[in-house]
Amino acid sequence: MEIFDLSALELGARIQSREIGVAEAARACLDRIAAVDKTVNAFITVTEREAMAQAEAVQRRIDSGELTHPLAGVPMAVKDLISTKGVPTTCASRMLENYVPVFDATVVGKLNAIGAVCLGKTNMDEFAMGSSTESSYFGVTRNPWDETRVPGGSSGGSAAAVAAREVFYALGSDTGGSIRQPASFCGVTGIKPTYGAVSRYGLLAYASSLDQIGPLTVDAADAAAVTRAIMGRDLYDSTSVDVPLPDMPQGDSLTGLRVGIPEDYFGEGLGEDVRARVLEMGRTLEALGAELVPVKMPMLDYAIPAYYVLACAEASSNLSRYDGVKYGFRPEKFEDLHDLYITARSEGFGAEVKRRIMLGAFALSSGYYDAYYNKALRVKALIKRAFDACFEQADVLLTPAAPTTAYKLGAHTDDPIQMYLGDIYTVSVNMAGLPGMVVPCGFDGDGLPVGAQLIGRAFGEQTLFAAAHAYQLHTDAHKRHPHFGKEG
C-alpha cells in the first residue's frame, strides 16, 4: 500500500511503530506538492525547510518516548487566515500579502504540542469571502477531481490539498459552510465544530459570531482525532467553552439513533444525483440500526438573506482595521490620511471583499439598521428554535451539503447571487452555532464527489463522529482519491 492510501491515523500508527519515519512522510508529501500543485494551486506558501526541520525534531521526541499522540509526525497544512508565527498569513489578499504574524493561533500551538508537521499555508477565497476559491489574490485553486472545476470555498485550498493527498489533513474555517461545501466538492470529510468548541484566537476574523475552525480529513476517525486535539477552553478567546472531549468513534452499530430527514432540504433546486446519493446514505444508516424520521425545517428559505446581512455587517466592522496605517498594504502614492484610507482599501481589497463590506455598511447604516440587521438577528433566533424543534424528534439531521457537485471555474464569477444561493444547506448551521459534518457519499454521473451533511445538537460532535464512522466502515467513497480527472 502506498503512503498516500493511508489515513492520518494509519500513517501515525506506522510512524509510532517506526515503519515510516517522520522525515520520510514529510518528504513524500513535499515531493507530491512539487509534482501536482502547479496544477491544483492548493498552497500559497510551502514551508519546506521549516517542515523538514520540524520533522526531525518530532522524530527525536517520538524516539525518546515524549510524543505518543496518534497524529504525531503526520504532515498537515493550515488555511492561510490562521496565524502562524514567522510564516506569512495573507488571507489570500493583497492587503496582507507581506504580513508575518509574531504568534501562533491557539489551534496551531495545540497541534505543534502533539507533534504535527505543518507543510505550509493553503489557498482560500480572499478573507474567506466566497464559495469557490476563485477570489484569491494568489490565483484560483482547481479541483483535483477535474481541474476545470472549482474545489469549493472558502477553504478550497485545504480541501484540495487533502483530496490530492498533498497532506493527510488540513485546518480550515467555516463561517457559512466554508469547510463543509469544499469537503463535498473534493470528496473529503470535514467538520465545523460547535461554536465555542474550538478557540478562534489567531483566526483573522470574517464574521466573529459565525466563524469556527475545523479540520478537513480523509475520514471520520481522522476528523475526530484532529478535533479532539484542537478543542477546549482558551483564555485568549472569551467565546470558547470547556466541554468534555468527544470519544473516538468505535464500531458500526447505530441502534437507537434517530436520523432526521428534513424534507425542506430535498425540494426544488437540488440536483438529482445529489438527492439520490444522500438518500442512499440514509438507507445505509437505517440498515446499521438507525431510525429515519421525517422532520420539518420551515426557516430554510430565510437562512441565506439573514446570513448575508449578518455576515457582511460583521465583516464591515472587522475589516475596518485594514486602513494602510498600522499594517497591511500601503499604497505608494496618496495625498492625505483620508486618501490613504481610500487608496489602501481600493487597491488592497478584491471585488468580492469590497462588495460585502458595502453590503454590511449599508445594513448597519442609520435608517436601515432595524430594517435589515435587527430583523436578521430575529430570523437567526427563529432558525435556532426550528433546529431545537427538529432535535426533539431526532438525534442528528441528514441533509445535502450543496445543491450540486463542483461546478466549472468561472461559472458564477459574474453572478454572485447564484454563488450565495449555493450555501443554502450550510449557513443555518452557523447561525444556530451547531456542529455540522460532511462525509463523501458517492459520485455523480460525471464522476464528481457528492457529500452528505450530518447536523448535530450543540456539542454533539461525538454523535456525528459515531454516525459518520459507522457509515464509512461500510462504504468506500472516502477512500477513493483523484488522479486529476479520474477516480482513483
Side-chain angles (χ1 to χ4, degrees):
M1 177 182 284
E2 281 192 10
I3 187 173
F4 299 115
D5 293 323
L6 301 173
S7 69
L9 286 172
E10 289 169 341
L11 175 58
R14 297 198 180 196
I15 287 172
Q16 288 291 336
S17 67
R18 311 304 192 271
E19 293 177 56
I20 297 175
V22 179
E24 177 187 355
R27 174 46 60 194
C29 287
L30 288 166
D31 289 346
R32 177 82 167 168
I33 292 168
V36 307
D37 209 55
K38 291 181 180 67
T39 301
V40 179
N41 196 34
F43 281 84
I44 292 175
T45 303
V46 177
T47 53
E48 180 172 357
R49 181 175 56 82
E50 296 88 339
M52 292 308 297
Q54 191 176 22
E56 292 172 5
V58 168
Q59 186 69 67
R60 289 192 294 270
R61 294 172 65 196
I62 291 173
D63 292 341
S64 70
E66 178 188 351
L67 275 180
T68 58
H69 194 279
L71 292 174
V74 176
M76 49 79 67
V78 176
K79 185 178 180 179
D80 205 19
L81 82 172
I82 299 173
S83 291
T84 42
K85 184 177 180 180
V87 177
T89 300
T90 71
C91 284
S93 177
R94 186 184 189 190
M95 182 63 77
L96 291 176
E97 181 180 7
N98 299 310
Y99 172 59
V100 179
V102 295
F103 70 99
D104 281 327
T106 295
V107 291
V108 173
K110 288 190 171 191
L111 291 177
N112 286 339
I114 67 167
V117 176
C118 182
L119 303 190
K121 308 297 288 292
T122 55
N123 204 5
M124 53 181 283
D125 284 297
E126 184 182 8
F127 279 99
M129 297 181 187
S131 304
S132 63
T133 315
E134 292 177 285
S135 66
S136 170
Y137 179 65
F138 301 94
V140 303
T141 295
R142 299 175 181 273
N143 193 316
W145 290 93
D146 180 345
E147 64 189 61
T148 68
R149 297 179 185 267
V150 302
S154 63
S155 303
S158 290
V162 175
R165 297 305 192 262
E166 295 176 303
V167 290
F168 287 84
Y169 67 94
L171 292 185
S173 69
D174 192 310
T175 307
S178 290
I179 288 172
R180 289 161 290 149
Q181 184 247 29
S184 177
F185 280 10
C186 290
V188 300
T189 301
I191 181 167
K192 181 207 86 70
T194 306
Y195 185 80
V198 176
S199 171
R200 291 181 296 109
Y201 178 72
L203 173 71
L204 279 70
Y206 164 19
S208 304
S209 73
L210 304 169
D211 296 340
Q212 190 62 78
I213 297 170
L216 292 117
T217 63
V218 173
D219 61 25
D222 286 355
V226 179
T227 303
R228 282 170 51 87
I230 63 176
M231 280 181 73
R233 177 85 171 92
D234 179 16
L235 295 177
Y236 293 109
D237 177 5
S238 62
T239 64
S240 63
V241 181
D242 188 15
V243 293
L245 296 181
D247 294 334
M248 288 296 294
Q250 303 287 337
D252 63 355
S253 174
L254 297 179
T255 301
L257 182 73
R258 299 172 300 166
V259 177
I261 308 293
E263 59 185 38
D264 311 83
Y265 283 72
F266 292 86
E268 185 180 352
L270 179 63
E272 286 305 315
D273 282 342
V274 176
R275 183 196 314 274
R277 300 294 88 75
V278 175
L279 292 177
E280 283 173 10
M281 176 173 172
R283 290 191 287 272
T284 300
L285 296 177
E286 187 176 36
L288 296 173
E291 176 189 1
L292 302 187
V293 181
V295 297
K296 289 189 176 294
M297 185 63 189
M299 297 302 298
L300 186 65
D301 291 342
Y302 303 98
I304 290 286
Y307 166 81
Y308 276 98
V309 168
L310 295 175
C312 292
E314 293 189 32
S316 71
S317 175
N318 279 326
L319 271 64
S320 65
R321 72 192 72 181
Y322 305 114
D323 53 16
V325 177
K326 295 179 288 295
Y327 57 89
F329 173 75
R330 175 177 289 205
E332 293 183 4
K333 297 180 180 179
F334 54 90
E335 295 180 0
D336 52 28
L337 184 62
H338 183 68
D339 188 49
L340 169 61
Y341 288 169
I342 293 174
T343 308
R345 290 166 177 166
S346 296
E347 296 180 7
F349 289 135
E352 182 61 29
V353 174
K354 286 185 277 194
R355 180 185 292 118
R356 297 195 191 196
I357 289 173
M358 289 190 290
L359 283 170
F362 176 79
L364 292 174
S365 62
S366 176
Y368 295 99
Y369 186 92
D370 287 329
Y372 293 101
Y373 185 72
N374 269 346
K375 188 175 290 185
L377 285 176
R378 291 196 290 271
V379 171
K380 181 180 180 181
L382 291 174
I383 288 173
K384 178 65 169 66
R385 288 184 202 167
F387 273 116
D388 289 343
C390 288
F391 287 121
E392 289 178 2
Q393 305 171 64
D395 303 306
V396 297
L397 306 180
L398 174 65
T399 78
T404 66
T405 53
Y407 48 84
K408 291 284 188 178
L409 288 162
H412 296 161
T413 51
D414 295 326
D415 188 0
I417 300 299
Q418 194 64 35
M419 187 176 290
Y420 298 168
L421 291 173
D423 298 332
I424 188 168
Y425 302 131
T426 54
V427 296
S428 56
V429 176
N430 298 75
M431 295 178 75
L434 302 175
M437 184 174 186
V438 164
V439 296
C441 63
F443 298 84
D444 71 2
D446 295 321
L448 297 169
V450 177
Q453 178 176 223
L454 293 167
I455 305 169
R457 296 186 179 93
F459 304 106
E461 283 82 358
Q462 184 166 326
T463 304
L464 300 186
F465 293 140
H469 179 67
Y471 172 74
Q472 290 181 338
L473 287 176
H474 290 268
T475 56
D476 69 351
H478 63 287
K479 294 181 180 179
R480 299 164 72 178
H481 53 88
H483 295 290
F484 303 101
K486 298 179 181 179
E487 296 175 14

